[in-house]
Amino acid sequence: MKSEQNFGTRLLTIVKWFILLFFLLVALLPLVWLFINSFRSNLELQISSFGWPQKWLFSNYIKAMEMASLPRLFLNSVITSASAVALNIIVAAMAGFILSREFFKGRDTIYTVLTAGVLVPIIAFMVPYFSLISRSGIYNTLFALILVYASVNIPVSIFLVTSFMRSIPKELEEAAIIDGCSFTQRFTKIIFPLTQSGLVTAGTFCFIYSWNDFIMAMLLTSSIESRTIQLGIKFFSSQFITDYTTMFAAIILTIIPSVGAYMFLHNKIISGLTAGAVKG
Amino acid sequence: MTKKGLILLLTILMMMGTVLPVFAQGAAEATAPAKEIELRWASIWVGADSKAGPVAAIVEEFNAANAGKIKVVIEPQPDYNAYEQKVRTSLAAGIAPADIFTIKLNPTTAEFYNSNLLMDFSKVFTGSWKSSFEAGSVNQSTIGGKLKSLPFETAILPMWYNMDILAKVGVTKVPQTVDEFWSLMDKLKAAGITATSQMTGDTNAWTSMIWFSHFAVSLGGPDVWSKPFTDPAFVQAAEYIKRMIVNYSTADAIGLGAGGSGGHFLAGRTAVFSNGPWYAGRADLAATPFFKNITIAGLPGFGSTSNYMISRIQANICAAASKDAAREAAIVKFLQFLTSPEKVKSIAQPSGAMFAVKTDAKPANHLQVQFTQLANSVAVSAPDFEAAMGAEATKEFTQQLSALALGKITAQEFTKLVALKINQD
């Protein structure tokens, strides 16, 4: 009986590990493929997509760095994404505070109008954004991208932050008011700190969009000084020719910092995402 | 945080708004010397493009010769599809995308001629400048008496035959008749060799669109594109392209992009491929064992028209109109420099590309020689589907081509659906 139980447990463990390893392989294989092919020549890649490099071409990485000005573009991406997240969070938190904690006429209408932006496809904003940015004299600046990325994500951020703030007990604020908290202090000392998990989620959405965006960066910028990393990766494909292996090297170089940052910070990111998920 | 904190926060935000534009080194007007005219050129010939090096050298030479007076700044446009979207968006917003930029002139982009945003070159395009261009290309670029884009890069779009593969099935010359063509396809298939590199992906199903254009022009004549798209010539051409994709192409043809289509040919996996002269300048093509045995030719006459070729103006140069006469004069000065036979030759020779400007460029390899000979030998030429019908119709063509190849629609339905889009436009 006991040996049957042991067999069952072992079988379950094997199945569990098999499933986990399968998904691990599915997740890692594209990255491994990308990494190996970043050392091959284009001709090798065209002949066979799978295989070891005949000669490990480290020169692909040097070419990637030199051709696309990757360090500069990476810095631009960091500045743009971080600033857009900061701006987006500040605006969303202030709007969410008013929309969730204050009662006034038209509050629900304002909330609906603001969050309805989630339903409008980004491509519909291309002409108005281009027109506004160009005419306001900030075309081809990082500030234009920061403004647009922060704005595009306002609806989803307000939706998330407002919902999160509504779940905070009113009694906490009432106690603070009795203790002499002003209107501003209610926001800065009570609600804002308690909404950190919601803000992390909203900020993560905004960061992912800002980091991955290609269309707006292409539309609103025109020089290396204000372009982002996604445009750098595209630098290896022209109208008729794509230098795939150098592009793979560029992709590897651009994901190393993100992966590194995640390895150091993953505990904080996960705790931020899951905090508040269970009330106790 | 108290009121002081809130004021501090607002001050920081205002400072961000003021300081961040400092990153705008690209906003050139602010940094350029007062008297120097800076011209922004949204160039597609950058990065991996074979014309990137020579074009950059020409700009550098021009800037050196005009130091302190005119400075041309290349704004790299690395992704062509996104670049086209940017041009359309900016013109729709009533703003030129740059001082100088390129378009593919077709019925969609010809609409730009109605805009006051583009410079009309017709008054200054005279004398030796005009005579250095091929008259046919200039005529094609002149709409309603206005020349709002200069024809620059041109192309013929023939077939590329890997004669090493053909030799494996006992064929030593390219097919001259339709029977020889189908016989070749069947022999290759029987030998387990994939005959062609078809594709239905990207925004224009590029290589298969070229095949379709060959069939249509041969069946309906050089003016076939002026006929309704439901014409029997197009239906028959659709039947042929379906047959090519289903029976004589790689298994991944549906949804495949131009990179994949070319990749199959480069890897020696397919025997026949279609593309323009720019492909001849590729280093990886020159490194293939079959490079010396590639023959550039047309297709046999599938209809009443034979000895024809598909051709197009690949890139037209536009410039932003300006109220500042000095600025317009600077643009003309640069374009005259760029399109001078000597400079065009310096781009044509290393890249293999063809141009609307007459030069004495010497072909760099045997493929470029064949391109020139073929272009000079054909009796008649006609544009491809995309050049004739425009970008929107081509997107529809591409989407319906997949449905046709998958057997979801018939050739008649295919032409009706594409015709519907053409008529909408």
Side-chain angles (χ1 to χ4, degrees), chain A residues 172-194:
Chain A
L172 281 171
E173 262 183 288
E174 286 167 356
I177 290 165
I178 291 165
D179 287 345
C181 247
S182 67
F183 174 79
T184 313
Q185 284 172 325
R186 270 166 54 206
F187 172 64
T188 55
K189 304 270 186 194
I190 310 293
I191 302 299
F192 192 83
L194 288 172

Side-chain angles (χ1 to χ4, degrees), chain A residues 46-269:
Chain A
Q46 304 278 15
I47 291 167
S48 170
S49 303
F50 295 94
W52 293 101
Q54 285 176 357
K55 189 184 168 190
W56 291 76
L57 295 175
F58 291 93
S59 55
N60 285 345
Y61 281 80
I62 297 164
K63 207 165 134 192
M65 294 285 279
E66 287 173 353
M67 260 184 82
S69 310
L70 285 184
R72 176 65 199 244
L73 299 181
F74 187 84
L75 179 69
N76 287 348
S77 273
V78 170
I79 293 169
T80 308
S81 303
S83 306
V85 167
L87 190 60
N88 176 272
I89 281 177
I90 290 168
V91 174
M94 291 198 283
F97 175 65
I98 297 296
L99 292 169
S100 63
R101 316 303 293 185
E102 297 296 316
F103 295 94
F104 54 92
K105 203 175 176 185
R107 185 186 73 161
D108 291 343
T109 310
I110 293 171
Y111 176 74
T112 308
V113 168
L114 284 173
T115 52
V118 175
L119 304 171
V120 184
I122 301 291
I123 203 154
F125 294 128
M126 286 178 72
V127 174
Y129 271 143
F130 183 81
S131 192
L132 281 168
I133 295 293
S134 298
R135 288 175 206 282
S136 55
I138 53 170
Y139 174 77
N140 195 29
T141 65
L142 290 182
F143 184 57
L145 292 181
I146 292 166
L147 214 54
V148 169
Y149 292 158
S151 311
V152 164
N153 287 282
I154 287 285
V156 72
S157 294
I158 287 183
F159 176 76
L160 288 168
V161 173
T162 307
S163 308
F164 205 91
M165 285 181 177
R166 276 179 185 157
S167 68
I168 297 169
K170 193 81 181 159
E171 290 75 13
L172 281 171
E173 262 183 288
E174 286 167 356
I177 290 165
I178 291 165
D179 287 345
C181 247
S182 67
F183 174 79
T184 313
Q185 284 172 325
R186 270 166 54 206
F187 172 64
T188 55
K189 304 270 186 194
I190 310 293
I191 302 299
F192 192 83
L194 288 172
T195 320
Q196 270 184 8
S197 302
L199 294 173
V200 166
T201 311
T204 306
F205 277 113
C206 184
F207 185 85
I208 290 169
Y209 172 78
S210 309
W211 190 265
N212 291 332
D213 172 73
F214 173 80
I215 291 291
M216 286 297 174
M218 179 76 178
L219 187 68
L220 302 176
T221 63
S222 60
S223 65
I224 293 291
E225 285 77 11
S226 53
R227 285 189 159 172
T228 54
I229 197 78
Q230 299 303 328
L231 290 174
I233 292 168
K234 280 283 181 181
F235 211 77
F236 303 98
S237 65
S238 66
Q239 194 178 2
F240 306 112
I241 297 166
T242 301
D243 186 350
Y244 287 104
T245 53
T246 313
M247 185 165 77
F248 295 161
I251 294 170
I252 292 290
L253 286 171
T254 57
I255 61 175
I256 285 172
S258 326
V259 172
Y262 182 79
M263 283 170 73
F264 282 109
L265 299 170
H266 73 284
N267 283 335
K268 285 186 180 177
I269 293 171

